Amino acid sequence: MGLNCCKQCRRPEFDTLPTHDVPLNDQQDASEKKRALLGFDLSWPCIWFCICCPCLAVVVVPLYYFLIQYLTNLAVDEMLVIDEVKVMRNCLDDLVPPNMTANIWWPGCGNPEGDMANLNDTCTLPCYQSEILHQMDTEWQKAFKQVFYTSRVHPSIETIQLGGWWLPAANPNASRIVIQHGFQANSNQFRPQLLAYMLRSLGYSVLMNNFRDHCYSANSTAHVYEWGHAYPYDVLGALDYARNDPDGILGGRRTSDQVGLAGISKGAFLTMITLGMEASLPGAWADAPPFTADAVFRQGASKRFRELGLPDFVFDISIDTVWENVQKAALEKDVNLTEHSPGEMLPQGPDTARPLSIVCNEDDNTVPIAECDRYKELLASYPAKYNVSDWTVKGECHGDSHCMDHFRQFTDYL
């Protein structure tokens, strides 16, 4: 490497040593004669270049690999390793729907610590009115039941017992909707709780599902975030349960066209996948669905890099390798993070023009608006398969712009 770096210092007229005497004038000193005989122009800049080039390689290459390993470890922790505190939040506190609203965190207000009086317009405004939460608390005093069921059986996917909340509508013949929570979340957190209240207020019975390794659902052998690998079968298992009522506690079976899906963030991602997989689904509602797990990873990584004070070029030179390493780490657990992507599954849906509603926020700081644009571009190619309605808004709620529009625009959302 050192010789390659120094090639630019070589004097071409002396590539071959002269066979005759080279006359020296009075100004040519001994060092110049030595340079000529050696065939190198050993000026100080070239000397430093020859020394520094291999030294830089010795320093930079190990530093790069150290950086990749460090960033990979961070990425695996964020994208793959189950955060037990987050996925179990509000699930170990003997909470049930009647006391849920008064004991979980709400935007602007925090946790009211069991006192609904702490949820008032002083803390909810200007994003939403506290009356919404008080009406939800009243609604949650009505019928509910914790239910358990299994993921849909598949030969290459571990079958897991899942658990969630059954919130029946007043009408025993009501249609049913299965809700999917977001990344590192569960049924007992504020986003799916408000969505469930909105749907039951509209007359639907609601099943609030939890993915494997989350809240009331059992742990899997892999015990990592699985994205498109196993989670679609958790959604399908919940769907089967809501349709078939195998335990006889939901009020009887429902036909396929009476049970739909709704999802938030990663739950919306899985709703999209399932809509493509399950031809009998009548339709779906998706709020801020990522188009790929990769996109969510890159968005989160870019924010994490900025928090660490790393310059943009570090992201540019490392992110592809780090994502490959995350996927390899998942494969070591027999989990394929990129399996069953929406881009792969949605085109497989039937030509029945099923209704699909997508909510997007241009200011979303977790799922970039470009992800919604990718869905629109894809779905525009399949008008016979999907009757798409998209609602794109702007704005935030108490500093958060991700899946907050059912708070911000409560009356217009559904």
Side-chain angles (χ1 to χ4, degrees):
M1 175 178 275
L3 289 177
N4 289 335
C5 291
C6 295
K7 281 183 178 178
Q8 68 179 38
C9 300
R10 190 172 180 86
R11 299 178 62 182
E13 63 267 34
F14 291 117
D15 281 350
T16 303
L17 289 177
T19 58
H20 59 279
D21 292 335
V22 179
L24 302 178
N25 57 34
D26 292 339
Q27 289 75 35
Q28 190 175 26
D29 57 16
S31 62
E32 186 176 347
K33 182 178 180 180
K34 183 177 181 181
R35 290 196 301 270
L37 290 173
L38 289 172
F40 289 89
D41 180 5
L42 297 178
S43 62
W44 279 112
C46 283
I47 291 173
W48 281 112
F49 190 79
C50 293
I51 293 172
C52 291
C53 187
C55 289
L56 282 173
V58 169
V59 173
V60 170
V61 172
L63 183 61
Y64 173 76
Y65 283 105
F66 171 81
L67 178 67
I68 291 295
Q69 189 58 51
Y70 172 72
L71 296 175
T72 296
N73 290 339
L74 285 179
V76 168
D77 284 344
E78 290 289 332
M79 191 74 177
L80 203 60
V81 177
I82 296 284
D83 187 322
E84 302 292 346
V85 173
K86 291 180 178 178
V87 303
M88 297 303 295
R89 183 169 291 145
N90 306 328
C91 299
L92 302 175
D93 303 323
D94 297 324
L95 294 183
V96 292
N99 65 7
M100 189 79 68
T101 310
N103 286 282
I104 67 173
W105 188 94
W106 294 101
C109 300
N111 191 322
E113 303 294 342
D115 187 353
M116 288 296 297
N118 291 328
L119 297 176
N120 54 68
D121 286 347
T122 304
C123 59
T124 61
L125 294 177
C127 177
Y128 61 104
Q129 294 182 336
S130 60
E131 180 185 7
I132 294 170
L133 301 184
H134 288 267
Q135 290 174 345
M136 180 170 68
D137 183 58
T138 300
E139 181 69 27
W140 277 180
Q141 306 308 311
K142 300 175 183 178
F144 71 91
K145 188 172 184 63
Q146 189 176 45
V147 292
F148 295 92
Y149 42 93
T150 63
S151 57
R152 183 179 288 184
V153 176
H154 186 277
S156 64
I157 301 295
E158 183 179 13
T159 303
I160 294 292
Q161 178 176 272
L162 309 172
W165 291 113
W166 170 243
L167 305 167
N171 180 359
N173 298 315
S175 295
R176 299 167 182 172
I177 296 180
V178 183
I179 293 179
Q180 322 306 321
H181 61 75
F183 182 55
Q184 297 181 329
N186 59 58
S187 62
N188 295 2
Q189 295 184 23
F190 69 94
R191 287 183 176 93
Q193 281 287 309
L194 184 64
L195 181 58
Y197 161 63
M198 296 172 80
L199 290 170
R200 190 157 88 159
S201 297
L202 291 173
Y204 295 100
S205 293
V206 176
L207 175 61
M208 301 188 73
N209 185 35
N210 286 290
F211 302 130
R212 62 188 62 204
D213 303 294
H214 292 68
C215 201
Y216 307 122
S217 296
N219 288 341
S220 64
T221 301
H223 199 56
V224 295
Y225 298 122
E226 300 207 17
W227 289 87
H229 181 73
Y231 291 154
Y233 296 95
D234 295 348
V235 179
L236 289 167
L239 185 66
D240 292 340
Y241 183 76
R243 286 172 172 173
N244 299 324
D245 188 17
D247 300 324
I249 59 178
L250 308 185
R253 295 172 60 92
R254 290 290 180 273
T255 57
S256 294
D257 62 349
Q258 290 181 295
V259 184
L261 291 182
I264 298 170
S265 192
K266 187 177 78 172
F269 168 81
L270 291 158
T271 293
M272 291 292 206
I273 292 172
T274 309
L275 184 63
M277 294 175 68
E278 188 78 353
S280 59
L281 258 175
W285 181 279
D287 189 333
F291 194 76
T292 64
D294 183 5
V296 176
F297 164 74
R298 289 172 187 272
Q299 178 74 359
S302 66
K303 291 194 289 187
R304 188 76 168 110
F305 278 36
R306 288 193 295 271
E307 291 171 1
L308 294 170
L310 297 174
D312 290 343
F313 82 87
V314 174
F315 179 88
D316 295 335
I317 66 173
S318 64
I319 194 64
D320 289 340
T321 302
V322 173
W323 174 237
E324 289 175 3
N325 290 343
V326 171
Q327 292 181 83
K328 290 176 183 176
L331 288 172
E332 290 176 1
K333 295 280 191 176
D334 294 323
V335 172
N336 181 355
L337 295 179
T338 61
E339 190 172 5
H340 302 119
S341 70
E344 172 194 359
M345 305 312 300
L346 284 170
Q348 298 182 29
D351 292 343
T352 52
R354 291 179 293 171
L356 171 58
S357 297
I358 306 174
V359 180
C360 309
N361 190 316
E362 293 181 9
D363 299 324
D364 197 321
N365 52 14
T366 301
V367 177
I369 189 64
E371 294 297 278
C372 275
D373 294 337
R374 295 178 72 180
Y375 275 110
K376 293 175 186 177
E377 182 180 357
L378 172 69
L379 294 168
S381 301
Y382 300 100
K385 297 181 182 296
Y386 304 103
N387 180 13
V388 180
S389 62
D390 64 89
W391 186 42
T392 301
V393 297
K394 295 181 65 174
E396 62 179 31
C397 177
H398 295 294
D400 193 348
S401 54
H402 179 58
C403 294
M404 299 297 290
D405 299 307
H406 54 324
F407 284 86
R408 292 177 55 250
Q409 301 195 34
F410 179 81
T411 57
D412 299 327
Y413 184 79
L414 291 176

